[in-house]
């Protein structure tokens, strides 16, 4: 299974607009990050549990991909 907790993306500091890289896990856990520009504390907020929703969508997409690959493997074996 793919670990999306290590997926990273940039967020802008609300004070200085400097882009700071965070991991999905940081947002999911609502961690406090330190801006690399102005050193302000940035409180991450998982508004309306969006991280949980994204995790479910990714898991569903991966399951669909695994089913498709399994069907392709069966189709290839039948034609050989």
């Amino acid at each position: 299974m793919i670990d999306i907790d290590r997926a990273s993306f940039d967020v802008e500091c609300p004070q200085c607009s400097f882009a700071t890289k965070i991991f999905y896990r940081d947002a999911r856990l609502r961690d406090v990050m330190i801006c690399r520009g102005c050193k302000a504390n940035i409180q991450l907020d998982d508004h309306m549990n969006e991280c949980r929703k994204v995790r479910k969508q990714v898991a569903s997409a991966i399951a669909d991909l695994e089913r498709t690959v399994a069907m392709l493997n069966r189709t290839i074996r039948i034609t050989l």
Side-chain angles (χ1 to χ4, degrees):
M1 175 94 179
I2 295 174
D3 182 15
I4 65 170
D5 275 350
R6 294 184 179 265
S8 64
F9 51 96
D10 291 332
V11 294
E12 284 188 8
C13 174
Q15 292 184 11
C16 71
S17 298
F18 190 83
T20 299
K21 182 180 283 193
I22 67 167
F23 291 100
Y24 170 86
R25 180 182 138 276
D26 299 328
R28 181 174 57 82
L29 297 175
R30 298 179 171 131
D31 282 347
V32 175
M33 305 303 297
I34 298 173
C35 174
R36 294 182 301 143
C38 69
K39 308 298 185 220
N41 287 340
I42 303 170
Q43 175 67 54
L44 301 175
D45 181 24
D46 180 15
H47 182 68
M48 297 189 61
N49 289 319
E50 289 295 322
C51 289
R52 182 178 51 83
K53 293 174 187 174
V54 167
R55 178 168 274 211
K56 285 177 76 172
Q57 290 173 346
V58 168
S60 176
I62 290 171
D64 288 345
L65 177 62
E66 289 172 346
R67 282 192 295 275
T68 302
V69 168
M71 277 191 343
L72 280 172
N73 282 337
R74 278 183 270 163
T75 303
I76 290 171
R77 285 187 205 139
I78 292 171
T79 58
L80 293 177

